[in-house]
Amino acid sequence: MAQQPSVFDLPEELLYTLQLKTQPSAAPLEDGPHTSRPTTPSENSETINGSLTSATSCTLCGQSFPTVLDQRSHVRSDIHAYNLKLKLRGEEAVTEVEFERLVEKLDESLSGSDTDESDESDEGEEGGKPKDSTLSALLKRQAKVTNGDAQDAPSRQRKQSAGKAPLMWFSSTKLPSNTSLGVYRAVFAIEEQEEAEHLVGTLQRKQLAPKPAPKPAAKPDPEDEGGVPLPASMVPLTNGAGGPHYFMCMIGGGHFAAMLVSLTPKITKKAGLDDRAATVIAHKTFHRYTTRRKQGGSQSAKDNTGKSISSAGSSLRRYNEVALETEIRALLQEWKSLIDSADLIFVRASGSGNRRTLFGPYGEQVLTQKDPRLRGFPFNTRRATQAELMRAFVELTRVKVNVVDEAALARQAEEAAAAAAKAQAQAQAAARPSAPKVAKLSKADEEALLHTTQLQALIRRSKAPALLSYFQSHSLPADFTFFPPDQNRHAPTPLHLAASSNSPACVLALLSKAKADPTVQNTDLKYPFDLAGDRATRDAFRLARSQLGQTGFSWDTANVPPPLSQTEVDARAQREAAEQAEENAAEKARRQKETDRLREEERAKIVQGKEDKFGKGRLLRKPTLTAEERRAEDARGMTDEMRVKVERERRARAAEERMKKMAGGR
């Protein structure tokens, strides 16, 4: 089908060939003001009976989505995060109906918008800790309910029965076998839903003939203008108000939208072709600033926490809450006659404050929660606007077309069965972890393992006497093979291990005392001598060859060099010690000579510096001072009074000298 037809305007060739299919079971759908997400089938491959899910689905929450964008939006939603937390706690996930019921118990009014945000901001608000998000509040309350601390904690014995899917599926002989038509269950009355065998006949009786678009209203006569206009409730409505119609409203986050829409489609022209469109009888929207931006929660819910808030923003929100409630109730009273005659009433009101605004109790209230016509929207809704109400109406009244790819379903069924079997096997393996079975050792193997551990420890610590004692006390052969062999391929015998550990004492003891065979090879075809890493260990093999003689073993086969006696070893050690002493003495003399040379060069450098400064051959003496410089030197450190006194005495002595000279000249 190229276009989704309306539930109330189905083609006749399709209408009289419909057959009700077996309905899948789903989460319970209550007739109340709540929001839930149906398992709406998409045009891509998806099963109808709920046994398989397509790529655009959430197995955790048990939901499927028409597009990938809807699935991504769901992954970022609070219900998905809440179910993840429940899964980590080992609890069952909740449906959207149950999640909305939990949200309603928090006494908060949420914004109800997925993408838009309120433009208002509360400048100069009171400080303090930010308000908890809806998810955090739900998790805290879940902990209280689990522990039995919440006042409204449900009884553990109370269980809800399995609900029904929000969509009812039909097949037709005019359509391919893999194509199904879906109609929302909410458009049927409760009595009609219970009579499933007559549901096709009920759908046929609900068909309405489309009407032409209403003509534009004539301009009023200028002579009739003036006077006081009549209220809206007294103005006659001619745009389909007399036929079957729905009342729809949404409220949340300070936004309210209501609409009366006729079920009879009107014929309009679109691109030169006839098209069906909805007829809006009346609509109205309100918006008041009642919630803080990005924090959610109404001011009344904040006040109910017991905190005293007296900011300008809080006062404005309290006033707007009262004003919004007054405006909504006045509008409901104005539309009372049309609401009473409506076939069904669709309401979305999250939070106890919003429900009190609509359902009271208050005097002359219009809406009641016990009204059998009351319904909730069986899909996600956004901010309360007229456009959102119209979108919801179109979603409710449009037939859903689902095309199933049988080959893809078969492949998915096989993949799902394989994945389920694999997951079950993994779960069983994780539930009952089994330790790897170790082959039980025989008594001989246990003894060999014990001897291996003891011998290796003694060899690595170079305990030659203790090693020989262990061989004698346990009557072990010198060529004992370590156990297990696969873990000792590099050093399978004690002689191999002693050579690779560079232990000359153990090598000499094993060869000369224990008579170990040096011609035994390891898995790499290497002899013990080939594993020796220093000269002392190699000399131990040559000493053993000298002590045991040439006929004891095939030394040349074992790559052992010619024999070396202990005297030769000592003489070589003395010779090397003497050579080392001579080298040390020569090195010490060289270092002393170099030190003396450096000191002499330093002294010559100092003398050369003095000669360059004062001249060659001159003595360093005190320079000759003038009379004025001597007086300044003598008066250094004196006070002004002492300096004046000395100057007076100097002048007196000079005067006496002059007088004597003058007297002598006469």
Side-chain angles (χ1 to χ4, degrees):
M1 299 179 66
Q3 185 179 4
Q4 294 177 338
S6 172
V7 176
F8 306 103
D9 187 22
L10 291 172
E12 291 187 1
E13 64 274 10
L14 186 64
L15 178 64
Y16 292 98
T17 58
L18 291 179
Q19 295 179 356
L20 183 64
K21 300 184 67 174
T22 303
Q23 303 301 315
S25 60
L29 180 65
E30 295 183 357
D31 295 331
H34 58 265
T35 303
S36 60
R37 177 77 185 190
T39 55
T40 305
S42 60
E43 295 183 358
N44 53 11
S45 60
E46 183 176 337
T47 59
I48 300 176
N49 57 9
S51 60
L52 299 177
T53 57
S54 66
T56 56
S57 62
C58 177
T59 56
L60 177 63
C61 303
Q63 300 181 17
S64 59
F65 309 94
T67 62
V68 177
L69 295 179
D70 290 343
Q71 183 191 28
R72 293 175 180 173
S73 177
H74 167 76
V75 171
R76 294 190 295 268
S77 64
D78 285 344
I79 181 174
H80 187 78
Y82 183 65
N83 283 334
L84 282 177
K85 296 291 185 181
L86 293 181
K87 184 178 180 180
L88 293 176
R89 295 179 179 178
E91 301 177 7
E92 294 292 334
V94 298
T95 62
E96 284 223 18
V97 177
E98 297 170 348
F99 182 75
E100 286 294 334
R101 193 179 299 111
L102 293 174
V103 172
E104 291 172 1
K105 294 181 181 180
L106 295 176
D107 288 335
E108 298 177 358
S109 76
L110 304 179
S111 172
S113 173
D114 293 337
T115 57
D116 299 334
E117 295 179 353
S118 299
D119 295 330
E120 300 83 355
S121 60
D122 187 17
E123 300 294 340
E125 281 293 331
E126 65 281 353
K129 185 177 180 181
K131 184 178 180 66
D132 290 340
S133 64
T134 304
L135 181 59
S136 300
L138 279 177
L139 292 175
K140 291 180 180 179
R141 187 180 183 280
Q142 181 68 20
K144 292 183 178 180
V145 171
T146 304
N147 298 331
D149 298 336
Q151 296 179 358
D152 55 346
S155 174
R156 296 184 181 274
Q157 287 77 16
R158 184 177 60 188
K159 295 184 179 179
Q160 296 184 357
S161 58
K164 299 178 180 179
L167 284 169
M168 306 184 74
W169 296 99
F170 298 85
S171 61
S172 173
T173 56
K174 298 294 183 180
L175 298 175
S177 59
N178 62 341
T179 303
S180 302
L181 302 180
V183 179
Y184 277 107
R185 186 184 298 271
V187 301
F188 297 98
I190 299 178
E191 297 80 6
E192 296 171 348
Q193 297 179 23
E194 294 176 352
E195 299 177 357
E197 62 275 7
H198 304 297
L199 204 58
V200 175
T202 302
L203 190 60
Q204 295 173 356
R205 290 192 298 270
K206 286 183 177 291
Q207 301 303 301
L208 300 172
K211 295 182 179 180
K215 297 180 180 180
K219 295 184 178 179
D221 190 355
E223 297 180 357
D224 296 337
E225 292 183 358
V228 179
L230 293 174
S233 59
M234 298 179 62
V235 176
L237 299 173
T238 60
N239 51 351
H245 58 276
Y246 287 168
F247 172 71
M248 309 171 70
C249 72
M250 298 180 183
I251 180 174
H255 295 266
F256 174 80
M259 182 173 66
L260 288 161
V261 57
S262 175
L263 302 183
T264 304
K266 63 181 179 181
I267 302 177
T268 59
K269 292 292 185 180
K270 186 175 182 181
L273 301 176
D274 291 342
D275 189 21
R276 267 69 168 170
T279 302
V280 178
I281 302 174
H283 65 86
K284 187 67 176 178
T285 58
F286 297 116
H287 173 54
R288 292 279 184 170
Y289 170 51
T290 60
T291 60
R292 296 185 65 180
R293 185 182 181 186
K294 295 184 180 180
Q295 295 196 17
S298 62
Q299 186 61 42
S300 59
K302 187 74 173 179
D303 295 338
N304 291 336
T305 60
K307 296 182 180 180
S308 177
I309 304 175
S310 58
S311 63
S314 62
S315 301
L316 180 60
R317 288 192 293 272
R318 293 188 188 95
Y319 170 80
N320 287 336
E321 285 184 358
V322 177
L324 181 63
E325 179 180 303
T326 303
E327 291 172 349
I328 293 174
R329 291 180 177 179
L331 178 66
L332 295 178
Q333 187 64 33
E334 185 178 337
W335 290 358
K336 185 177 187 305
S337 59
L338 294 174
I339 294 175
D340 292 341
S341 61
D343 291 14
L344 293 175
I345 298 174
F346 290 89
V347 176
R348 189 207 73 194
S350 58
S352 59
N354 292 328
R355 292 196 303 275
R356 283 195 300 268
T357 300
L358 296 179
F359 302 106
Y362 63 93
E364 299 182 356
Q365 69 182 65
V366 180
L367 300 177
T368 60
Q369 292 184 344
K370 296 182 179 180
D371 194 332
R373 302 172 300 167
L374 192 62
R375 299 285 190 277
F377 293 97
F379 43 81
N380 283 344
T381 56
R382 306 184 184 94
R383 174 174 290 174
T385 60
Q386 181 187 355
E388 180 61 17
L389 284 177
M390 181 56 66
R391 187 192 71 84
F393 175 76
V394 172
E395 176 69 18
L396 277 171
T397 57
R398 291 294 180 183
V399 176
K400 308 299 178 294
V401 181
N402 180 36
V403 180
V404 180
D405 189 353
E406 301 294 343
L409 287 180
R411 290 194 301 269
Q412 289 185 5
E414 295 177 358
E415 294 175 358
K422 182 178 179 181
Q424 185 177 4
Q426 292 178 352
Q428 292 177 355
R432 296 187 300 272
S434 58
K437 296 182 178 180
V438 180
K440 188 176 181 180
L441 299 177
S442 62
K443 187 175 180 180
D445 292 342
E446 291 180 355
E447 292 180 357
L449 182 60
L450 177 61
H451 295 325
T452 299
T453 304
Q454 298 295 330
L455 291 174
Q456 289 177 350
L458 294 173
I459 293 172
R460 289 192 176 97
R461 290 182 293 175
S462 296
K463 302 292 185 180
L467 179 64
L468 296 176
S469 176
Y470 192 88
F471 275 109
Q472 294 176 1
S473 60
H474 293 85
S475 301
L476 296 178
D479 298 325
F480 173 79
T481 303
F482 292 145
F483 183 84
D486 56 341
Q487 297 181 7
N488 299 277
R489 293 189 297 269
H490 180 68
T493 64
L495 187 58
H496 282 88
L497 182 60
S500 62
S501 301
N502 296 328
S503 177
C506 292
V507 169
L508 186 58
L510 288 171
L511 289 172
S512 60
K513 301 293 181 63
K515 302 299 186 295
D517 188 1
T519 60
V520 177
Q521 293 178 317
N522 60 8
T523 55
D524 297 331
L525 304 179
K526 289 187 177 182
Y527 298 101
F529 182 83
D530 298 334
L531 304 180
D534 56 3
R535 192 177 70 173
T537 306
R538 290 191 291 271
D539 288 346
F541 281 93
R542 299 178 66 185
L543 285 172
R545 180 173 182 176
S546 175
Q547 295 175 3
L548 297 177
Q550 300 297 326
T551 59
F553 298 100
S554 180
W555 299 101
D556 295 333
T557 304
N559 297 332
V560 178
L564 184 67
S565 63
Q566 188 64 39
T567 304
E568 294 175 346
V569 172
D570 295 341
R572 186 183 63 182
Q574 292 177 2
R575 184 175 63 255
E576 292 177 352
E579 292 176 355
Q580 186 65 32
E582 292 178 1
E583 291 178 0
N584 292 340
E587 180 66 19
K588 184 177 180 181
R590 188 191 64 79
R591 290 186 179 183
Q592 183 64 33
K593 183 178 180 180
E594 184 68 18
T595 302
D596 295 342
R597 185 184 64 80
L598 294 176
R599 288 177 180 175
E600 186 64 27
E601 290 179 356
E602 186 67 22
R603 284 196 296 268
K605 189 182 295 185
I606 294 173
V607 172
Q608 184 65 32
K610 291 180 180 180
E611 290 179 355
D612 294 342
K613 184 176 181 181
F614 301 105
K616 186 175 181 180
R618 292 186 179 182
L619 296 177
L620 296 178
R621 60 174 180 167
K622 189 174 182 180
T624 305
L625 302 177
T626 63
E628 185 65 25
E629 291 176 346
R630 284 198 302 271
R631 285 195 298 270
E633 184 68 23
D634 294 339
R636 185 177 299 172
M638 295 183 182
T639 62
D640 293 340
E641 291 80 1
M642 294 175 63
R643 194 176 292 110
V644 171
K645 185 177 179 180
V646 170
E647 184 66 22
R648 189 182 300 116
E649 291 177 354
R650 185 184 65 78
R651 290 180 180 181
R653 287 195 299 271
E656 289 177 358
E657 290 293 333
R658 287 195 301 269
M659 292 297 292
K660 289 180 180 180
K661 289 180 181 181
M662 291 175 63
R666 293 178 181 177

